[in-house]
């Protein structure tokens, strides 16, 4: 069981370049998420997918697009990278547990620098 | 706007000391979770609390959900170097909702 995997681990882009961050989970979870983590800001939700075939905006969606390719995979695309998108990006997956909460399982993160 | 504020932001203590981390909001949450994150890794869930006033213990860690479900605390007894990490609280405003709102984080360093 690999859990949640993310590629790449590190990436450096120039302003205006595009790239896709890949995420896959092997826990058969319905829900998947993309977050960004910046110093002093905690984790902020970019987009999420409650189930295969659906996606919704989170708190900070501008400049990003997502694709829920199938139940396992959820990708995040930066069409035209900007320095403000320099951050650590985390993918997560979850399944609703009785008792009112989703326990989220996180990948190891992608460290992105935009010059 | 940050829904959840954590304090302190940084905490450095000696091994064996006790500490408390706070997570506060003006919003009511249906459930609240605590995660720990180590450098270079993603957060890992420690506990979920769902009932106002609920107290849960995980070895030397004690988690409490406020009576009004607007705040939570994490108390660590006899801290050890292995407790070093970033502690994040995260709340859900609706039962079963996918969205989690994360706090700003408390970075704990336990000095041997």
């Amino acid at each position: 069981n690999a859990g949640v995997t993310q590629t790449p681990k590190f990436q450096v882009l120039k302003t205006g370049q595009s790239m896709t961050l890949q995420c896959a989970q092997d826990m058969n979870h319905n829900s998947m998420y993309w977050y960004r983590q910046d110093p002093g800001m905690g984790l902020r939700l970019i987009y999420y997918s409650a189930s295969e075939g659906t996606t919704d905006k989170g708190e900070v969606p501008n400049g990003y697009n997502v694709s829920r390719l199938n139940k396992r995979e959820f990708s995040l695309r930066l069409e035209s990278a900007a320095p403000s998108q320099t951050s650590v990006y985390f993918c997560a997956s979850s399944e609703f547990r009785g008792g009112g909460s989703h326990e989220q399982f996180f990948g190891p993160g992608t460290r992105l620098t935009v010059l | 706007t940050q829904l959840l504020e954590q304090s302190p932001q940084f905490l450095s203590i000696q091994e064996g000391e006790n500490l408390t981390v706070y997570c506060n909001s003006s919003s009511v949450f249906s459930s609240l979770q605590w995660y720990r994150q180590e450098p270079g890794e993603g957060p890992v869930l420690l506990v979920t609390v769902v009932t106002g006033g609920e107290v849960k213990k995980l070895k030397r860690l004690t988690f409490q959900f406020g009576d009004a479900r607007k705040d939570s605390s994490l108390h660590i007894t006899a801290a050890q170097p292995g407790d070093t990490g970033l502690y994040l609280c995260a709340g859900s405003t609706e039962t079963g909702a996918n969205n989690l709102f994360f706090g700003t984080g408390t970075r704990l360093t336990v000095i041997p």
Side-chain angles (χ1 to χ4, degrees), chain B residues 22-104:
Chain B
Y22 299 94
C23 174
N24 294 297
S25 177
S26 57
S27 301
V28 175
F29 291 94
S30 62
S31 65
L32 201 133
Q33 300 177 341
W34 285 92
Y35 289 79
R36 182 170 73 200
Q37 184 179 17
E38 300 191 18
E41 298 181 9
V44 175
L45 180 69
L46 295 174
V47 77
T48 301
V49 285
V50 297
T51 305
E54 182 176 3
V55 176
K56 279 193 175 179
K57 292 192 175 184
L58 188 66
K59 297 183 181 179
R60 294 176 294 98
L61 279 60
T62 301
F63 304 86
Q64 183 161 8
F65 201 11
D67 290 341
R69 305 208 315 276
K70 292 183 178 181
D71 55 85
S72 180
S73 63
L74 157 60
H75 182 79
I76 301 179
T77 304
Q80 299 177 1
D83 296 326
T84 293
L86 179 67
Y87 289 81
L88 295 159
C89 64
S92 178
T93 55
E94 298 176 32
T95 300
N98 290 90
N99 304 44
L100 273 184
F101 296 93
F102 278 82
T104 47

Side-chain angles (χ1 to χ4, degrees), chain A:
Chain A
N1 248 4
V4 180
T5 56
Q6 292 182 235
T7 55
K9 277 189 170 295
F10 302 92
Q11 184 71 49
V12 178
L13 293 177
K14 294 181 179 178
T15 297
Q17 287 185 318
S18 62
M19 79 161 296
T20 299
L21 282 64
Q22 306 286 353
C23 174
Q25 53 94 6
D26 62 2
M27 294 173 283
N28 203 36
H29 287 166
N30 279 308
S31 303
M32 297 186 73
Y33 313 81
W34 276 104
Y35 292 90
R36 60 177 290 172
Q37 185 173 35
D38 303 293
M41 301 290 290
L43 286 155
R44 291 183 294 169
L45 184 65
I46 304 171
Y47 271 94
Y48 69 98
S49 171
S51 61
E52 188 178 353
T54 69
T55 61
D56 286 286
K57 294 178 180 180
E59 183 185 355
V60 290
N62 291 345
Y64 305 96
N65 285 301
V66 291
S67 296
R68 183 73 183 266
L69 304 169
N70 48 55
K71 192 171 185 178
R72 289 187 65 247
E73 298 172 289
F74 190 36
S75 63
L76 178 72
R77 183 160 177 83
L78 286 70
E79 289 291 351
S80 179
S84 62
Q85 293 178 305
T86 293
S87 188
V88 182
Y89 291 85
F90 287 98
C91 177
S93 70
S94 76
E95 196 66 36
F96 180 68
R97 308 288 180 198
S101 66
H102 281 250
E103 174 183 351
Q104 296 197 6
F105 294 82
F106 287 82
T110 294
R111 281 139 191 85
L112 174 67
T113 301
V114 183
L115 303 174

